[in-house]
Amino acid sequence: MSDTAKLQIGDKSYEFPLVRGTENEVAINIKTLRTVTNGVITIDPGFKNTGSCESAVTFLDGEKGVLRYRGYSIEELAEKADFLEVAYALIFGDLPTKEQLDKFHTDIKSKSVVDDDIKKIVDAFPKTAHPMGVLSSLTSALTAFNPTSVNVESTEDMYNSVVKIMGKFPVLVAWTMRKKQGLPLNYGSKSLGYVENVLKMMFEQPNEDYVVNPIIKNALDKLLILHGDHEQNCSTSTVRIVGSSHAGLFASLSAGISALWGPLHGGANQAVLEMLEAIKADGGDTKKYMAKAKDKNDPFRLMGFGHRVYKNFDPRAKIIKAAADDVLNDLGVNDPILDIARGLEQEALNDPYFVERKLYPNVDFYSGIIYRAMGIPVEMFTVMFALGRLPGWIAQWKEMRLGKEPIGRPRQIYIGENERPFVEIENR
Ligand code: CMC
């Protein structure tokens, strides 16, 4: 293949270099397009064909259903690693040695206390507030309590800000839930692991010692790993673009949380469970909902199905589906919505509408069923996604800042009114 692409506009021809990734992905580098063509730009709604950066964090092949963090396959990571190891690999590039992991964990624990005044902010939210809104606000509020911006030139400064947010974020996650449930705001324990502490902080009751259930701990580890990163998705692109203005890490993360909240992105895990519940309450007629999903006059979509980049099975969904069976069995939970989910999946996989459009179950289709079996309230599902995605966001923010990427500032094609005279208010 040639290493340039040719573009013909009218009678003029232009040449642009091709960029090739380590997995042979190819892009046309149009950096000079506007200059050499005297003002022509590209337009690509939803950035379906646009690469925003070069990245060494995550590789995914949507056609083949492949997902790797830093070169390690998601299947192996989910089976063999724990969340903190994966977080380290995402953020620093390689799986940690035992010493590196221990140090990372110790440093995170030493930074896991949040300023007590944050409790006043938590208190000011009504109990009805959605936890994602609260989490985004609290993450942004951290900026006020940690006002010195990170010196990205300093490895030490960068490391400190990473362990700070890795330590404080699970506390905020737990507090968003405890506030809703009227429980006192608590902390983890120095003797517990990262994921164990998440569970302790979320579920500990004031009048009893919390004992970690290993089945729940392993399931959460796996879910967090599977959500760890997913290259340039909506929330990650948000984190990178906010960070590209040199806004701080916490402010960039807060924006990412808001982006994740939407039902077409991370909010789908809550939407899936609500959909499955609605189907159950409506008599379990999956065919009726399949018909609604296919009806172009009906806004209903089969939540947890389809993906911008996977045109094959989402590899994360395969792992989660198997885990859902195991976790429910191990916990002795018999959840009828698992049967509804399986039924919908079977119908969709055999339905020409879904087959032609290559719509397969995505990561969110089965995750809510596991979260529910673990005792996590539905409104917290997307918060759990955020907790898993945190290392990915950090890794991508760090890569963007260290790569000295320019500020993200797309262009547009203006389609509004041409210049017109101002009309005085009494004459309009
Ligand atoms: N149910 C019914 N039809 C669908 C669905 C669905 N879930 N998803 C896509 N389609 C149809 C869509 O109507 C369109 O049909 P047509 O070509 O006839 O107009 C075609 O499939 C292509 O869809 P699209 O909306 O152009 O695809 P997209 O890449 O812009 O959107 C998506 C991807 C994930 C937003 C979409 O599939 C969707 O809304 N899915 C449901 C929400 C969901 O589960 N989101 C979680 C994604 S995974 C977690 C994460 O990483 O965010």
Side-chain angles (χ1 to χ4, degrees), residues 286-310:
T286 47
K287 294 212 162 37
K288 176 174 162 189
Y289 285 85
M290 287 291 291
K292 274 166 75 63
K294 293 188 282 181
D295 180 356
K296 291 290 168 201
N297 297 315
D298 189 327
F300 177 79
R301 278 189 166 201
L302 200 56
M303 299 312 285
F305 260 79
H307 200 277
R308 169 59 61 79
V309 288
Y310 289 121

mmCIF file of all heavy atoms in Angstrom, residues 286-310:
data_model
loop_
_atom_site.group_PDB
_atom_site.id
_atom_site.type_symbol
_atom_site.label_atom_id
_atom_site.label_comp_id
_atom_site.label_asym_id
_atom_site.label_seq_id
_atom_site.Cartn_x
_atom_site.Cartn_y
_atom_site.Cartn_z
ATOM 1 N N THR A 286 -41.081 -10.534 25.533
ATOM 2 C CA THR A 286 -39.880 -9.969 24.894
ATOM 3 C C THR A 286 -40.131 -9.609 23.426
ATOM 4 O O THR A 286 -39.559 -8.663 22.902
ATOM 5 C CB THR A 286 -38.693 -10.956 24.974
ATOM 6 O OG1 THR A 286 -39.154 -12.241 24.574
ATOM 7 C CG2 THR A 286 -38.126 -11.034 26.358
ATOM 8 N N LYS A 287 -41.031 -10.375 22.777
ATOM 9 C CA LYS A 287 -41.298 -10.128 21.345
ATOM 10 C C LYS A 287 -41.858 -8.723 21.134
ATOM 11 O O LYS A 287 -41.510 -8.028 20.175
ATOM 12 C CB LYS A 287 -42.276 -11.164 20.803
ATOM 13 C CG LYS A 287 -41.694 -12.558 20.805
ATOM 14 C CD LYS A 287 -42.217 -13.406 19.654
ATOM 15 C CE LYS A 287 -41.366 -14.613 19.361
ATOM 16 N NZ LYS A 287 -40.771 -15.300 20.502
ATOM 17 N N LYS A 288 -42.717 -8.302 22.072
ATOM 18 C CA LYS A 288 -43.314 -6.964 21.976
ATOM 19 C C LYS A 288 -42.214 -5.897 21.996
ATOM 20 O O LYS A 288 -42.238 -4.935 21.227
ATOM 21 C CB LYS A 288 -44.269 -6.783 23.164
ATOM 22 C CG LYS A 288 -44.894 -5.425 23.279
ATOM 23 C CD LYS A 288 -45.929 -5.437 24.409
ATOM 24 C CE LYS A 288 -46.266 -4.029 24.862
ATOM 25 N NZ LYS A 288 -47.082 -4.033 26.079
ATOM 26 N N TYR A 289 -41.204 -6.094 22.861
ATOM 27 C CA TYR A 289 -40.149 -5.082 22.986
ATOM 28 C C TYR A 289 -39.167 -5.158 21.817
ATOM 29 O O TYR A 289 -38.603 -4.155 21.405
ATOM 30 C CB TYR A 289 -39.469 -5.206 24.357
ATOM 31 C CG TYR A 289 -40.384 -4.640 25.421
ATOM 32 C CD1 TYR A 289 -41.393 -5.418 25.998
ATOM 33 C CD2 TYR A 289 -40.310 -3.298 25.793
ATOM 34 C CE1 TYR A 289 -42.275 -4.888 26.927
ATOM 35 C CE2 TYR A 289 -41.199 -2.759 26.725
ATOM 36 C CZ TYR A 289 -42.178 -3.557 27.288
ATOM 37 O OH TYR A 289 -43.049 -3.017 28.202
ATOM 38 N N MET A 290 -39.017 -6.359 21.272
ATOM 39 C CA MET A 290 -38.192 -6.488 20.062
ATOM 40 C C MET A 290 -38.842 -5.702 18.926
ATOM 41 O O MET A 290 -38.170 -4.995 18.175
ATOM 42 C CB MET A 290 -38.079 -7.960 19.643
ATOM 43 C CG MET A 290 -37.192 -8.781 20.528
ATOM 44 S SD MET A 290 -35.474 -8.307 20.332
ATOM 45 C CE MET A 290 -35.174 -8.906 18.679
ATOM 46 N N ALA A 291 -40.154 -5.809 18.842
ATOM 47 C CA ALA A 291 -40.882 -5.102 17.772
ATOM 48 C C ALA A 291 -40.759 -3.596 17.977
ATOM 49 O O ALA A 291 -40.535 -2.833 17.018
ATOM 50 C CB ALA A 291 -42.347 -5.529 17.770
ATOM 51 N N LYS A 292 -40.865 -3.153 19.214
ATOM 52 C CA LYS A 292 -40.718 -1.710 19.505
ATOM 53 C C LYS A 292 -39.319 -1.221 19.100
ATOM 54 O O LYS A 292 -39.149 -0.151 18.530
ATOM 55 C CB LYS A 292 -40.920 -1.460 21.011
ATOM 56 C CG LYS A 292 -42.371 -1.266 21.436
ATOM 57 C CD LYS A 292 -42.524 -1.376 22.961
ATOM 58 C CE LYS A 292 -42.020 -0.172 23.724
ATOM 59 N NZ LYS A 292 -42.723 1.077 23.439
ATOM 60 N N ALA A 293 -38.303 -2.035 19.426
ATOM 61 C CA ALA A 293 -36.909 -1.622 19.122
ATOM 62 C C ALA A 293 -36.689 -1.477 17.619
ATOM 63 O O ALA A 293 -35.887 -0.667 17.176
ATOM 64 C CB ALA A 293 -35.934 -2.646 19.700
ATOM 65 N N LYS A 294 -37.456 -2.263 16.844
ATOM 66 C CA LYS A 294 -37.256 -2.232 15.380
ATOM 67 C C LYS A 294 -38.127 -1.180 14.697
ATOM 68 O O LYS A 294 -37.903 -0.852 13.542
ATOM 69 C CB LYS A 294 -37.575 -3.617 14.798
ATOM 70 C CG LYS A 294 -36.586 -4.679 15.228
ATOM 71 C CD LYS A 294 -36.786 -5.984 14.510
ATOM 72 C CE LYS A 294 -37.939 -6.783 15.063
ATOM 73 N NZ LYS A 294 -38.144 -8.055 14.392
ATOM 74 N N ASP A 295 -39.120 -0.680 15.437
ATOM 75 C CA ASP A 295 -40.072 0.274 14.859
ATOM 76 C C ASP A 295 -39.439 1.668 14.820
ATOM 77 O O ASP A 295 -39.156 2.263 15.859
ATOM 78 C CB ASP A 295 -41.341 0.269 15.733
ATOM 79 C CG ASP A 295 -42.386 1.245 15.197
ATOM 80 O OD1 ASP A 295 -42.101 1.961 14.222
ATOM 81 O OD2 ASP A 295 -43.490 1.276 15.782
ATOM 82 N N LYS A 296 -39.222 2.181 13.610
ATOM 83 C CA LYS A 296 -38.531 3.471 13.475
ATOM 84 C C LYS A 296 -39.390 4.637 13.980
ATOM 85 O O LYS A 296 -38.879 5.737 14.191
ATOM 86 C CB LYS A 296 -38.133 3.717 12.007
ATOM 87 C CG LYS A 296 -37.041 2.785 11.542
ATOM 88 C CD LYS A 296 -35.697 3.113 12.211
ATOM 89 C CE LYS A 296 -34.675 2.030 11.990
ATOM 90 N NZ LYS A 296 -33.581 2.018 12.945
ATOM 91 N N ASN A 297 -40.694 4.395 14.201
ATOM 92 C CA ASN A 297 -41.534 5.474 14.745
ATOM 93 C C ASN A 297 -41.577 5.431 16.268
ATOM 94 O O ASN A 297 -42.249 6.240 16.901
ATOM 95 C CB ASN A 297 -42.971 5.361 14.203
ATOM 96 C CG ASN A 297 -42.986 5.536 12.700
ATOM 97 O OD1 ASN A 297 -42.327 6.444 12.190
ATOM 98 N ND2 ASN A 297 -43.686 4.651 11.998
ATOM 99 N N ASP A 298 -40.908 4.445 16.825
ATOM 100 C CA ASP A 298 -40.902 4.294 18.284
ATOM 101 C C ASP A 298 -39.487 4.632 18.781
ATOM 102 O O ASP A 298 -38.511 4.056 18.292
ATOM 103 C CB ASP A 298 -41.261 2.834 18.623
ATOM 104 C CG ASP A 298 -41.497 2.627 20.104
ATOM 105 O OD1 ASP A 298 -40.837 3.310 20.916
ATOM 106 O OD2 ASP A 298 -42.334 1.774 20.466
ATOM 107 N N PRO A 299 -39.351 5.565 19.720
ATOM 108 C CA PRO A 299 -37.997 5.933 20.169
ATOM 109 C C PRO A 299 -37.305 4.832 20.981
ATOM 110 O O PRO A 299 -36.100 4.914 21.251
ATOM 111 C CB PRO A 299 -38.250 7.163 21.060
ATOM 112 C CG PRO A 299 -39.675 7.063 21.489
ATOM 113 C CD PRO A 299 -40.409 6.310 20.409
ATOM 114 N N PHE A 300 -38.040 3.781 21.344
ATOM 115 C CA PHE A 300 -37.459 2.725 22.189
ATOM 116 C C PHE A 300 -36.280 2.036 21.489
ATOM 117 O O PHE A 300 -36.355 1.695 20.324
ATOM 118 C CB PHE A 300 -38.540 1.684 22.520
ATOM 119 C CG PHE A 300 -38.027 0.523 23.318
ATOM 120 C CD1 PHE A 300 -37.824 0.636 24.685
ATOM 121 C CD2 PHE A 300 -37.719 -0.696 22.702
ATOM 122 C CE1 PHE A 300 -37.321 -0.430 25.421
ATOM 123 C CE2 PHE A 300 -37.219 -1.762 23.431
ATOM 124 C CZ PHE A 300 -37.032 -1.626 24.791
ATOM 125 N N ARG A 301 -35.216 1.863 22.213
ATOM 126 C CA ARG A 301 -34.069 1.088 21.731
ATOM 127 C C ARG A 301 -33.808 -0.047 22.706
ATOM 128 O O ARG A 301 -34.059 0.100 23.896
ATOM 129 C CB ARG A 301 -32.813 1.958 21.686
ATOM 130 C CG ARG A 301 -32.741 2.782 20.445
ATOM 131 C CD ARG A 301 -31.415 3.467 20.298
ATOM 132 N NE ARG A 301 -31.331 3.965 18.926
ATOM 133 C CZ ARG A 301 -30.224 4.269 18.289
ATOM 134 N NH1 ARG A 301 -29.066 4.156 18.901
ATOM 135 N NH2 ARG A 301 -30.248 4.709 17.060
ATOM 136 N N LEU A 302 -33.289 -1.121 22.207
ATOM 137 C CA LEU A 302 -32.946 -2.221 23.096
ATOM 138 C C LEU A 302 -31.661 -1.822 23.828
ATOM 139 O O LEU A 302 -30.568 -1.864 23.247
ATOM 140 C CB LEU A 302 -32.732 -3.479 22.249
ATOM 141 C CG LEU A 302 -32.835 -4.801 22.981
ATOM 142 C CD1 LEU A 302 -34.166 -4.949 23.681
ATOM 143 C CD2 LEU A 302 -32.631 -5.937 21.991
ATOM 144 N N MET A 303 -31.829 -1.406 25.070
ATOM 145 C CA MET A 303 -30.662 -0.907 25.807
ATOM 146 C C MET A 303 -29.701 -2.073 26.068
ATOM 147 O O MET A 303 -30.136 -3.198 26.300
ATOM 148 C CB MET A 303 -31.093 -0.244 27.124
ATOM 149 C CG MET A 303 -32.000 0.954 26.920
ATOM 150 S SD MET A 303 -31.413 2.136 25.677
ATOM 151 C CE MET A 303 -30.092 2.946 26.528
ATOM 152 N N GLY A 304 -28.400 -1.760 26.022
ATOM 153 C CA GLY A 304 -27.402 -2.812 26.210
ATOM 154 C C GLY A 304 -27.086 -3.533 24.910
ATOM 155 O O GLY A 304 -26.365 -4.520 24.906
ATOM 156 N N PHE A 305 -27.651 -3.040 23.806
ATOM 157 C CA PHE A 305 -27.372 -3.622 22.490
ATOM 158 C C PHE A 305 -26.771 -2.583 21.574
ATOM 159 O O PHE A 305 -27.170 -1.425 21.593
ATOM 160 C CB PHE A 305 -28.659 -4.170 21.854
ATOM 161 C CG PHE A 305 -28.759 -5.650 22.010
ATOM 162 C CD1 PHE A 305 -29.177 -6.185 23.211
ATOM 163 C CD2 PHE A 305 -28.389 -6.497 20.989
ATOM 164 C CE1 PHE A 305 -29.242 -7.549 23.396
ATOM 165 C CE2 PHE A 305 -28.440 -7.867 21.159
ATOM 166 C CZ PHE A 305 -28.869 -8.399 22.365
ATOM 167 N N GLY A 306 -25.842 -3.029 20.758
ATOM 168 C CA GLY A 306 -25.240 -2.132 19.777
ATOM 169 C C GLY A 306 -24.037 -1.422 20.372
ATOM 170 O O GLY A 306 -23.910 -1.284 21.599
ATOM 171 N N HIS A 307 -23.145 -1.031 19.509
ATOM 172 C CA HIS A 307 -21.968 -0.313 19.966
ATOM 173 C C HIS A 307 -21.373 0.436 18.792
ATOM 174 O O HIS A 307 -21.408 -0.065 17.667
ATOM 175 C CB HIS A 307 -20.923 -1.282 20.543
ATOM 176 C CG HIS A 307 -19.946 -0.602 21.419
ATOM 177 N ND1 HIS A 307 -18.843 0.054 20.917
ATOM 178 C CD2 HIS A 307 -19.926 -0.426 22.754
ATOM 179 C CE1 HIS A 307 -18.184 0.588 21.926
ATOM 180 N NE2 HIS A 307 -18.818 0.325 23.048
ATOM 181 N N ARG A 308 -20.825 1.619 19.052
ATOM 182 C CA ARG A 308 -20.235 2.390 17.970
ATOM 183 C C ARG A 308 -19.094 1.636 17.297
ATOM 184 O O ARG A 308 -18.955 1.662 16.088
ATOM 185 C CB ARG A 308 -19.751 3.734 18.523
ATOM 186 C CG ARG A 308 -18.878 4.556 17.583
ATOM 187 C CD ARG A 308 -19.570 4.895 16.272
ATOM 188 N NE ARG A 308 -20.765 5.687 16.426
ATOM 189 C CZ ARG A 308 -20.801 7.006 16.635
ATOM 190 N NH1 ARG A 308 -19.671 7.678 16.730
ATOM 191 N NH2 ARG A 308 -21.935 7.637 16.731
ATOM 192 N N VAL A 309 -18.287 0.943 18.069
ATOM 193 C CA VAL A 309 -17.125 0.301 17.437
ATOM 194 C C VAL A 309 -17.222 -1.221 17.321
ATOM 195 O O VAL A 309 -16.603 -1.808 16.441
ATOM 196 C CB VAL A 309 -15.789 0.699 18.111
ATOM 197 C CG1 VAL A 309 -15.440 2.129 17.776
ATOM 198 C CG2 VAL A 309 -15.826 0.503 19.597
ATOM 199 N N TYR A 310 -17.984 -1.878 18.195
ATOM 200 C CA TYR A 310 -18.084 -3.335 18.063
ATOM 201 C C TYR A 310 -19.132 -3.706 17.042
ATOM 202 O O TYR A 310 -20.309 -3.391 17.231
ATOM 203 C CB TYR A 310 -18.431 -4.001 19.399
ATOM 204 C CG TYR A 310 -17.305 -3.963 20.385
ATOM 205 C CD1 TYR A 310 -17.461 -3.348 21.611
ATOM 206 C CD2 TYR A 310 -16.078 -4.537 20.075
ATOM 207 C CE1 TYR A 310 -16.421 -3.292 22.516
ATOM 208 C CE2 TYR A 310 -15.028 -4.479 20.974
ATOM 209 C CZ TYR A 310 -15.208 -3.858 22.195
ATOM 210 O OH TYR A 310 -14.171 -3.809 23.070
#
